[in-house]
Amino acid sequence: MSSPISRRHFLKTSFFAAGTAIAGTGIAKAATPADADKEPLVTLIDISRCIGCEECVYACQDANAHKFADPKKPFPRMYPDRVPVEDWSDRRDVTDRLTPYTWLYIQYASATTKEGENITLTIPRRCMHCANPPCVKLCPWGAAKQETNGLSRIDSQICLGGSKCKTVCPWEIPQRQTGVGLYLDLLPAFAGNGVMYKCDRCYQKIEKGEQPACIEVCPEEVQTIGKRSDMIRKASELAKEMDGYIYGLEENGGTNTIYVSPVPFDQLVYDTGKGKPHLNPVKDTMADGSNLALAMVIAPVAGAAAAVGKFYKQMKEDA
Amino acid sequence: MLYHFTARRTVYGLILFFIVLSGFAQMPIFDRYYVSDIPGLGWLAQFYVTHVIHYIMAALLLGLCAYVAVDFFLYRRFSTGASRADRKSAGNRSSIATRNSLPTRITISGMVKIGALSGLVVTGCFMVVKNLSLVYFPHGVVIGLDLLHLLFGMVLLGATAYTWIRRRTWVV
């Protein structure tokens, strides 16, 4: 786990960042659309190849162990009583669902093939790394961030554990660990509840030009990572080859994780629930906001036009 | 109070109420503190609903700000009298008397509120751009925008409360 930072340090750093960033000249440059050279990275997961060996699960835990929470107990009392304590620190070996210590798990799904054969598919499940991730965009503190390579991650030094990211995630991926993080230095009784954790696609390995641990270790080469356009093309070819189906191209406006399955996703039978995400169609959750952005361009023009119109009308009246 | 000032104050008050409410609802506090349990307020805990409401109110606020700013500028520079509605609300006084009653100076508390509103508009616009797909802001900028937006909101709320209690106007 990363070392905690103090409230003073957090506020000082935040306001310094705010002042320099907003007052500075770089903000226009900062809002950089992804260009061709910085095309998001996408992982393509060929479900038909996965044998459910869980090598990826353990490799993920090993590679990210230094980021895991190490809470001190007892936890501070939180008010009101409805605030849930979510403690997975004594259940770190749970691997049949997502937890703050298991960012990737194998989901079992049964299905019937076109030939009528009953099969069991094993599906590596983790954060989908949405192209426009609501967990990042709607975080009220900016604790979650999206990088230009398309991965999204939560900064454990800033996250207060309010779990909004989980609520707005169509798959409810992020998982909370109580008793760690910045909230302990602020108002632990009245605000915050720990830190949210999820797959960060081994950003520290990607920065070094390496592959994420789950991809690196897989004996069946279930996953492939590459530029979005390349992976979409490959997914289409793979789907055509196996007469299969794709998940992730349209879901939530497109994700940077693409699954290819030999069976339609709506015919897969699997457990869902807490920490066990679904594979249902998902509408673009950020679309309404994006559409309304246009209204914010039109509104001031309309307001100014109305004022000019009113003024012109009165001038005519007075003339 | 001139007729159109009353109307715009009512519209501004409604926008301010809902934009502040939906703004605070972006933080996961209304569910925690039972506010969304109150019948009729369940929507306060639905982040996508409050997000859309905040955006709609922001658009209306931008429109109103532009209207008021242009209106104030035009009347201060070029006006020869008040509107018919204003003359009517002024109660059969002569157009010269009504013209003289037109405000020309922004008060200090009005300046503070305009400053806070400007800050909210600027940071808010950047945040809307940030929320578009395939737009990446550096992490420090995002945190800065979030905190500054909150800070400007608190300043506006404080100044509004002050002017409301002390019955101060935007302009004199």
Side-chain angles (χ1 to χ4, degrees), chain A residues 14 21-22 30-31 33-34 79-80 82-83 132 134 137 142 146-147 158 164 168 189-190 192 285 289 299-300 303 310 314, chain B residues 26 31-33 37 48 55 59 63 66-67 71 75 81-83 130-132 134 136-139 141 143-148:
Chain A
S14 301
I22 306 303
Y79 298 93
R82 76 175 349 176
V83 181
N132 196 24
K137 301 296 177 85
Q146 185 184 29
E147 301 191 352
I158 298 170
K164 182 181 177 182
V168 298
F190 301 107
T285 53
K310 174 175 165 260
Q314 192 184 332
Chain B
Q26 298 310 305
D31 180 42
R32 176 169 179 156
Y33 288 106
D37 288 1
Y48 285 114
Y55 269 38
Y67 175 84
D71 189 50
Y75 275 86
S83 68
K130 175 211 74 169
N131 285 347
L132 296 173
L134 298 177
Y136 305 97
F137 277 15
H139 196 206
V141 173
I143 295 171
L145 287 170
D146 286 335
L147 290 176
L148 280 176

Side-chain angles (χ1 to χ4, degrees), chain A residues 41-49 124 126 128 201 212 214-215 218 220-239 242 245-249 255-261 265:
Chain A
L41 292 174
V42 165
T43 36
L44 170 61
I45 300 176
D46 180 357
I47 295 174
S48 68
R49 297 179 75 98
R126 53 154 173 76
M128 299 288 287
R201 216 194 237 165
C214 57
I215 299 177
C218 181
E220 300 295 324
E221 297 180 345
V222 170
Q223 297 192 59
T224 317
I225 190 166
K227 282 183 180 178
R228 184 171 180 80
S229 53
D230 292 344
M231 290 301 103
I232 289 174
R233 193 180 62 245
K234 197 166 177 179
S236 301
E237 289 169 2
L238 189 61
M242 71 165 80
Y245 303 85
I246 299 176
Y247 186 85
L249 283 184
T255 67
N256 290 326
T257 299
I258 298 173
Y259 289 97
V260 179
S261 164
F265 286 92

Side-chain angles (χ1 to χ4, degrees), chain A residues 136-215:
Chain A
V136 173
K137 301 296 177 85
L138 300 183
C139 175
W141 303 112
K145 52 184 156 185
Q146 185 184 29
E147 301 191 352
T148 49
N149 62 14
L151 72 82
S152 58
R153 63 188 176 103
I154 297 168
D155 190 329
S156 61
Q157 294 195 346
I158 298 170
C159 179
L160 296 175
S163 196
K164 182 181 177 182
C165 52
K166 184 181 177 182
T167 307
V168 298
C169 172
W171 296 274
E172 298 184 356
I173 297 287
Q175 301 291 317
R176 175 163 56 195
Q177 173 61 47
T178 299
V180 287
L182 183 63
Y183 91 108
L184 294 172
D185 299 322
L186 299 171
L187 293 167
F190 301 107
N193 185 0
V195 170
M196 306 302 296
Y197 292 93
K198 72 171 193 70
C199 162
D200 59 14
R201 216 194 237 165
C202 291
Y203 71 92
Q204 78 283 4
K205 290 171 74 70
I206 287 184
E207 279 172 3
K208 287 190 253 174
E210 299 171 13
Q211 291 197 328
C214 57
I215 299 177

Side-chain angles (χ1 to χ4, degrees), chain A residues 29 98 241:
Chain A
K29 282 184 188 170
L98 297 172
E241 195 178 296

Side-chain angles (χ1 to χ4, degrees), chain A residues 37 43 87 134-136 284:
Chain A
D37 296 334
T43 36
D87 181 21
C135 60
V136 173
D284 184 355

Side-chain angles (χ1 to χ4, degrees), chain A residues 57-188:
Chain A
V57 177
Y58 298 112
C60 172
Q61 288 182 328
D62 287 346
N64 295 299
H66 64 288
K67 302 170 194 165
F68 289 163
D70 194 12
K72 289 184 176 59
K73 297 179 189 177
F75 301 139
R77 178 95 194 262
M78 292 185 288
Y79 298 93
D81 290 336
R82 76 175 349 176
V83 181
V85 171
E86 294 189 56
D87 181 21
W88 288 89
S89 59
D90 297 328
R91 293 176 287 165
R92 299 183 189 212
D93 55 349
V94 170
T95 57
D96 64 349
R97 56 161 286 173
L98 297 172
T99 77
Y101 301 91
T102 301
W103 298 354
L104 164 66
Y105 87 105
I106 299 297
Q107 187 171 50
Y108 286 80
S110 56
T112 306
T113 63
K114 287 167 194 154
E115 293 76 32
E117 185 189 358
N118 291 325
I119 58 168
T120 299
L121 292 170
T122 49
I123 312 169
R125 297 307 305 273
R126 53 154 173 76
C127 174
M128 299 288 287
H129 294 282
C130 302
N132 196 24
C135 60
V136 173
K137 301 296 177 85
L138 300 183
C139 175
W141 303 112
K145 52 184 156 185
Q146 185 184 29
E147 301 191 352
T148 49
N149 62 14
L151 72 82
S152 58
R153 63 188 176 103
I154 297 168
D155 190 329
S156 61
Q157 294 195 346
I158 298 170
C159 179
L160 296 175
S163 196
K164 182 181 177 182
C165 52
K166 184 181 177 182
T167 307
V168 298
C169 172
W171 296 274
E172 298 184 356
I173 297 287
Q175 301 291 317
R176 175 163 56 195
Q177 173 61 47
T178 299
V180 287
L182 183 63
Y183 91 108
L184 294 172
D185 299 322
L186 299 171
L187 293 167

